[in-house]
Amino acid sequence: MNKYEVLGVVGEGAYGVVLKCKNKETNEIVAIKKFKETEDNEIVKKSIQREVKVLRLLRHINIVELKEAFKRKGRIYLVFEYVERNLLEVLEASPSGLEPLYIKKTIFQLLKAIYCCHQHDIVHRDIKPENLLISNANVLKLCDFGFARSLTAQTQDLTDYVATRWYRAPELLLSYSNYDKGVDMWAIGCLLCELTDGNPLFPGENEMDQLYLIQKMLGPLTPSQQETFSKNPRFLGMKFPEISKPETLEQRYLCKLPKRAINFVKGLLKMEPSERLTCRQALKHQYFEDLPEAIEFMKELDQQIEQEK
Ligand SMILES: Oc1ccc(-c2ccc(-c3cc(Nc4ccc(CNC5CC5)cc4)n[nH]3)cc2)c(O)c1
């Protein structure tokens, strides 16, 4: 850390802290994640190794770049590119929501980042405004893979999973084992709605309230989700309040989103994970068909699909 000057804190969590730093030799501004635990803690060491392995896999313009990793006095440091702001700050500057074209461009960039993750069988699991960085040129950079997991990983060490509740898919709220790429698609649906009017779609105050708000808009849990709920000791003896006045997505966003955008969100917010749009299907959705960068990307994607055949 001698070659870096600490300029401030940009993020803090159970893991440690993310610092804004300047490289004294090059004057480059970077973000450095400093882990709280030393490498003596074997569980933490394995978790950091997994995080670095994931980060080294994911090289993409819309994913924040890991520049280097080093150890000093038993502590591990990850050096990343620094980006000027996050989407939470952009939202806070526009409390009634963002411009429709800005939303479309931002969501399309996020889908490209998640497509890169999903192609490597990596699920981010914590998509939210704080984890979406926005450069001065409005380039989106997905960050913080602290909760990302490889679907091919044998271990299901999910006890540490405390990602943000408001963007969590029903299957994650009900259990921590059977999740897949659909949890990221759900979060993107929640995010698009929030960018539209500045209000979180499902601001649950606890896990029961979260599940209640979801069902109030999207209908009841699926039979298998209801079975998981009834067997989960965390919810023993609990029942959902009667849903007096359900409000559909259409009712809530009819005057705020065009029909195509509402169809797109409905494709992401399916209660049954297997019915949700995949990232590839989302990228090809009608909602993006008037976006020039989408037309170009579709050509590349179709060529890639042809090559994969
Ligand atoms: O596994 C991991 C762990 C950490 C990261 C990570 C990498 C880079 C960053 C980062 C943050 C950042 N810039 C930034 C972040 C947050 C803000 C919000 N305002 C802050 C509070 C004063 C403003 C700017 N640039 N780069 C943050 C997290 C990562 O991408 C993956």
Side-chain angles (χ1 to χ4, degrees):
M1 275 300 276
N2 288 347
K3 71 176 183 179
Y4 294 104
E5 176 193 347
V6 178
L7 303 178
V9 177
V10 292
E12 213 153 0
Y15 57 83
V17 66
V18 179
L19 303 166
K20 178 181 179 180
C21 298
K22 180 166 78 172
N23 184 319
K24 294 175 194 169
E25 295 151 11
T26 64
N27 281 332
E28 183 187 28
I29 304 295
V30 294
I32 297 181
K33 180 173 179 179
K34 176 186 176 187
F35 288 86
K36 190 188 307 180
E37 296 281 346
T38 64
E39 59 173 340
D40 305 340
N41 180 323
E42 269 313 304
I43 296 174
V44 170
K45 191 176 170 187
K46 280 259 180 296
S47 167
I48 295 170
Q49 285 168 343
R50 185 176 56 229
E51 193 171 332
V52 172
K53 190 178 170 201
V54 163
L55 291 164
R56 287 197 164 129
L57 262 180
L58 304 175
R59 297 278 178 199
H60 187 278
I61 180 70
N62 295 118
I63 296 176
V64 72
E65 181 197 356
L66 173 67
K67 290 175 173 292
E68 65 171 309
F70 62 88
K71 276 186 272 191
R72 181 160 165 66
K73 295 181 182 171
R75 287 196 189 285
I76 297 168
Y77 298 82
L78 304 183
V79 183
F80 295 90
E81 67 175 303
Y82 179 79
V83 182
E84 291 73 22
R85 71 190 58 75
N86 65 25
L87 191 57
L88 182 62
E89 290 174 305
V90 174
L91 256 179
E92 286 167 347
S94 302
S96 52
L98 305 176
E99 284 303 311
L101 183 58
Y102 183 92
I103 296 172
K104 192 175 289 191
K105 287 173 178 270
T106 300
I107 295 294
F108 192 75
Q109 293 181 81
L110 174 56
L111 284 168
K112 287 194 286 184
I114 291 299
Y115 186 61
C116 175
C117 296
H118 289 183
Q119 277 192 300
H120 288 94
D121 282 328
I122 299 291
V123 181
H124 185 281
R125 298 201 307 164
D126 198 17
I127 296 170
K128 58 182 178 180
E130 297 92 317
N131 286 343
L132 303 176
L133 306 175
I134 306 292
S135 75
N136 286 336
N138 285 321
V139 175
L140 175 138
K141 303 264 184 181
L142 177 64
C143 81
D144 204 343
F145 289 73
F147 290 127
R149 286 296 177 274
S150 164
L151 286 175
T152 54
Q154 301 311 312
T155 56
Q156 292 287 352
D157 61 334
L158 305 162
T159 49
D160 60 347
Y161 183 48
V162 281
T164 315
R165 184 185 315 118
W166 294 354
Y167 309 90
R168 218 184 290 170
E171 63 271 22
L172 274 183
L173 291 159
L174 291 163
S175 72
Y176 287 65
S177 52
N178 63 337
Y179 67 86
D180 70 1
K181 299 170 183 177
V183 302
D184 287 338
M185 306 316 291
W186 177 277
I188 294 170
C190 295
L191 184 76
L192 196 160
C193 293
E194 184 168 351
L195 299 183
T196 301
D197 63 6
N199 301 312
L201 179 61
F202 302 127
E205 293 177 2
N206 53 55
E207 292 184 339
M208 277 297 285
D209 187 40
Q210 193 68 33
L211 287 163
Y212 170 73
L213 293 178
I214 289 170
Q215 295 177 86
K216 188 175 176 196
M217 179 163 282
L218 302 174
L221 298 177
T222 66
S224 79
Q225 290 169 347
Q226 285 175 25
E227 189 184 355
T228 306
F229 174 78
S230 60
K231 288 179 180 171
N232 190 320
R234 278 185 298 141
F235 303 114
L236 198 59
M238 294 186 185
K239 282 188 72 174
F240 295 109
E242 276 307 307
I243 294 174
S244 52
K245 286 186 288 179
E247 180 193 34
T248 65
L249 266 169
E250 286 88 344
Q251 287 165 333
R252 179 157 168 183
Y253 293 99
L254 195 60
C255 313
K256 302 173 183 177
L257 277 175
K259 186 80 185 133
R260 283 178 176 182
I262 292 178
N263 283 340
F264 178 59
V265 170
K266 286 173 74 173
L268 297 171
L269 297 179
K270 295 289 187 190
M271 293 298 280
E272 172 50 52
S274 62
E275 292 176 8
R276 285 174 212 150
L277 291 172
T278 64
C279 203
R280 182 177 285 183
Q281 290 167 337
L283 283 160
K284 295 171 80 86
H285 194 276
Q286 239 189 354
Y287 170 53
F288 298 110
E289 73 176 13
D290 60 344
L291 199 59
E293 54 265 47
I295 296 162
E296 190 48 43
F297 182 81
M298 287 309 113
K299 284 182 196 154
E300 292 162 18
L301 194 58
D302 290 339
Q303 284 162 6
Q304 183 188 359
I305 294 167
E306 277 308 307
Q307 286 161 10
E308 285 169 1
K309 282 177 182 169

